[in-house]
Amino acid sequence: MAERMLKFINLPQQTPEKRPAETRRGDFQEIYDDFQPEAAAQQASRCSQCGIPFCQVHCPLSNNIPDWLKLTAEGRLEEAYELSAATNTFPEICGRICPQDRLCEGNCVIEKGFDSVTIGAVERYITDTAFENNWVKPIAPLSERIETVGIVGSGPAGLAAAERLRAQGYQVTVYDRHDRVGGLLIYGIPGFKLEKDIVLRRWKWLEEGGVKFVLNADIGGALPFSELREKHDAVLIATGVYKAREIGGPGSGLPGIVKALDFLITSNRKSLGDAVPDYDSGLLNAAGKDVVVIGGGDTAMDCVRTAIRQNAKSVTCLYRRDKQNMPGSLREVKNAEEEGVNFAWLSAPEMFLGDDKVTGVRAMRMHLGLPDASGRQSVETIEGSSFTIKADVVIKALGFDPEELPIAFNEPALKLTGWGTLKVNPRSFETSLPGVFAAGDIVRGASLVVWAIRDGRDAAAAIHRQFQAARQAQAAE
Ligand code: FAD
Ligand code: SF4
Ligand code: SF4
């Protein structure tokens, strides 16, 4: 039934049902149920169809949110899907894992007096429905082009670029060192936020559209980067950032102190049904253990919630600032608290205890001082405030830096920024090497899936422009 719009005054916000913490602690399934069609239409109808939609302004993809909300409210879901897919390669993924509270929904104007429109949940619902109804068709270029593009990295940036270039008719090959497509979507982000079938479905969709994948291909390792440059007319680097930030202090090298991504990749592989010796041996498995996770970002939240699901004895998150100043999404903190995670706010590790393996963390209380030049409050230790937490496993989740690509790719002329990310021309996305482009976290630094999609799409458009200019120049000769 078609719903009238502007219903926010009388109709309260309703998100899809969240499974009770007691149930969801025991598995890696997503925690939110699907919207029922009637509820999706009703929630979409709460939108007031703003003349200047701040939701859209604050969506990195400039999604046409008011229009697809209206189409959903009117029951015109296939059109809503087409509109949504026009600006977003993976709407069902963003609908699940974007930090909407900081982006579209956080800027919905009705948020000022009422709860915002549930934009993310509707976006997810539209594309899930499109898949169920077979409305999602493989990419079908109008004509084939002879130019080939090699993409290094099958994360959201590489895949979004692959989709756009293939739709223009280019011959696209994506290389990845992993055995599955998806980058952090498949091996970083846990199933309780994004079920793996959703990512595998997109892999199949891209293959059906003619994108080729070469997996287990470590570029710069077994397969030299120079080979890709010889083979392809253009190369896009979308390798993400993976160098884990280290932690110092006495005992920081003890066995039992592990990297966040090693822990998450192992857990995701287990969920995908792989044989995982490090999980079975207990090395990267929290079952029955006291676990301490250090960090306050999305990665730390994923680690604490994974440890809970692996049946850890206790899980404590140690973060040096307070809840209001943590980089992770507050929605995820709330979920973690509901699931039984303890948070030690304003606490930082001082040393790690143990002889031949870690047995505990000695931490100090902190307080927030005056803001520095960036406006962020400094963190100062409180003398004499030490306390000890028992730990069989300590997970370091302090963020990621880029690997040194000029060395890894044996391309000394590949220029970096001061942060070690790849330097690109912001308009052309070209690096200091002609014909070599870059997008996603490797350019931006650790960021969000939605920004990686945006960069991948923009880089594809820039590569297309460069091919077209070359073709026109050739024709004019
Ligand atoms: P990636 O997704 O990192 O993909 C890069 C790919 O390149 C990988 O597949 C890698 O194997 C491959 N690669 C790297 N080097 C080579 C090489 N030499 N040869 C071949 N292949 C190579 N963002 C959100 O928006 N919401 C979230 O909830 C969220 N949760 C996160 C949780 C975790 C644990 C982490 C680590 C990040 C999270 N993020 C989240 C951030 C988000 O995942 C990244 O910003 C995004 O995936 C970056 O996309 P990308 O394509 O640039 O790189
Ligand atoms: Fe919101 Fe992300 Fe969807 Fe944009 S892509 S509308 S920010 S959920
Ligand atoms: Fe609708 Fe909110 Fe966007 Fe306005 S800001 S168009 S009410 S979703």
Side-chain angles (χ1 to χ4, degrees):
M1 194 191 86
E3 299 281 349
R4 279 182 301 107
M5 302 304 286
L6 287 136
K7 291 235 188 95
F8 65 92
I9 297 170
N10 300 320
L11 192 68
Q13 185 197 58
Q14 192 202 334
T15 50
E17 207 68 29
K18 187 157 77 167
R19 294 195 289 133
E22 268 321 303
T23 323
R24 62 185 204 244
R25 279 169 60 111
D27 64 49
F28 282 85
Q29 307 301 308
E30 283 176 12
I31 69 167
Y32 295 99
D33 286 339
D34 298 332
F35 252 145
Q36 293 307 311
E38 190 132 327
Q42 284 191 350
Q43 288 299 306
S45 76
R46 294 181 67 243
C47 170
S48 69
Q49 299 285 286
C50 304
I52 300 173
F54 282 101
C55 55
Q56 181 170 8
V57 173
H58 289 270
C59 166
L61 293 163
S62 302
N63 279 345
N64 196 340
I65 300 164
D67 284 0
W68 49 248
L69 286 173
K70 186 162 189 289
L71 290 167
T72 305
E74 291 170 357
R76 294 158 64 188
L77 281 175
E78 191 166 359
E79 290 162 84
Y81 158 69
E82 273 157 20
L83 197 59
S84 161
T87 52
N88 191 351
T89 314
F90 306 123
E92 75 286 15
I93 294 179
C94 292
R96 284 171 164 86
I97 59 167
C98 267
Q100 286 103 7
D101 48 347
R102 285 191 264 141
L103 299 170
C104 53
E105 292 180 17
N107 290 282
C108 171
V109 288
I110 65 169
E111 165 90 354
K112 305 298 162 229
F114 301 83
D115 288 327
S116 68
V117 178
T118 53
I119 300 168
V122 175
E123 187 180 27
R124 162 193 162 166
Y125 166 78
I126 293 169
T127 301
D128 283 349
T129 309
F131 269 107
E132 275 163 30
N133 287 284
N134 259 334
W135 301 333
V136 184
K137 301 290 178 220
I139 307 159
L142 289 177
S143 60
E144 294 291 338
R145 298 179 196 261
I146 53 163
E147 294 97 335
T148 77
V149 183
I151 298 177
V152 191
S154 70
L159 296 184
E163 183 244 348
R164 278 291 153 124
L165 288 163
R166 185 65 202 123
Q168 294 285 354
Y170 294 103
Q171 309 309 310
V172 180
T173 307
V174 180
Y175 300 83
D176 204 289
R177 61 184 169 195
H178 279 308
D179 54 350
R180 288 188 180 90
V181 165
L184 290 172
L185 300 177
I186 192 91
Y187 284 136
I189 299 170
F192 50 80
K193 277 165 57 182
L194 175 64
E195 280 173 15
K196 300 298 147 193
D197 287 355
I198 310 283
V199 186
L200 299 176
R201 180 168 75 179
R202 283 296 185 178
W203 174 7
K204 188 164 166 257
W205 169 76
L206 285 161
E207 272 186 335
E208 283 169 358
V211 175
K212 295 192 178 61
F213 289 97
V214 180
L215 299 178
N216 299 306
D218 185 9
I219 308 304
L223 193 51
F225 185 69
S226 55
E227 231 173 80
L228 258 57
R229 290 189 75 191
E230 277 163 31
K231 194 167 171 188
H232 296 289
D233 300 300
V235 174
L236 175 72
I237 304 175
T239 47
V241 290
Y242 284 91
K243 199 162 80 186
R245 287 195 192 130
E246 281 303 334
I247 197 159
S252 56
L254 281 168
I257 303 179
V258 301
K259 291 180 185 163
L261 215 46
D262 290 347
F263 178 67
L264 293 174
I265 291 175
T266 303
S267 175
N268 278 316
R269 280 195 177 283
K270 186 76 191 162
S271 297
L272 283 155
D274 294 353
V276 199
D278 284 346
Y279 181 90
D280 297 336
S281 71
L283 186 68
L284 292 169
N285 178 348
K289 295 179 182 163
D290 291 305
V291 178
V292 173
V293 177
I294 300 171
D298 282 334
T299 306
M301 292 311 103
D302 289 351
C303 289
V304 288
R305 297 177 66 202
T306 295
I308 286 277
R309 283 161 175 77
Q310 290 181 353
N311 218 1
K313 194 161 140 201
S314 74
V315 182
T316 306
C317 178
L318 214 61
Y319 181 55
R320 63 194 188 126
R321 294 174 187 272
D322 58 10
K323 194 171 180 176
Q324 285 64 42
N325 286 288
M326 66 177 295
S329 156
L330 285 177
R331 184 182 61 184
E332 298 307 315
V333 179
K334 186 164 180 277
N335 287 333
E337 282 174 335
E338 287 168 3
E339 289 164 12
V341 175
N342 310 308
F343 282 87
W345 303 111
L346 292 163
S347 307
E350 196 184 354
M351 66 186 293
F352 299 91
L353 311 173
D355 295 326
D356 49 359
K357 75 171 286 306
V358 73
T359 55
V361 181
R362 172 96 54 80
M364 284 185 91
R365 300 272 178 218
M366 319 294 283
H367 75 87
L368 296 177
L370 293 171
D372 60 17
S374 71
R376 215 160 176 221
Q377 282 177 282
S378 60
V379 183
E380 290 154 18
T381 50
I382 302 175
E383 288 307 317
S385 64
S386 294
F387 63 102
T388 300
I389 311 175
K390 204 166 166 295
D392 304 306
V393 180
V394 174
I395 301 174
K396 298 176 282 185
L398 297 134
F400 302 93
D401 289 316
E403 281 155 15
E404 290 211 22
L405 281 192
I407 298 172
F409 286 181
N410 196 19
E411 294 280 4
L414 193 57
K415 284 208 179 109
L416 302 180
T417 66
W419 292 277
T421 50
L422 284 183
K423 196 168 188 171
V424 296
N425 175 323
R427 278 183 54 77
S428 69
F429 285 77
E430 201 165 20
T431 65
S432 50
L433 301 178
V436 176
F437 302 78
D441 278 6
I442 190 59
V443 175
R444 199 177 268 284
S447 178
L448 293 173
V449 168
V450 65
W451 280 112
I453 296 172
R454 157 82 186 265
D455 292 347
R457 291 171 77 105
D458 286 353
I463 293 170
H464 176 54
R465 278 199 304 274
Q466 204 174 97
F467 278 135
Q468 273 187 318
R471 251 179 260 127
Q472 278 161 7
Q474 244 176 8
E477 272 173 13

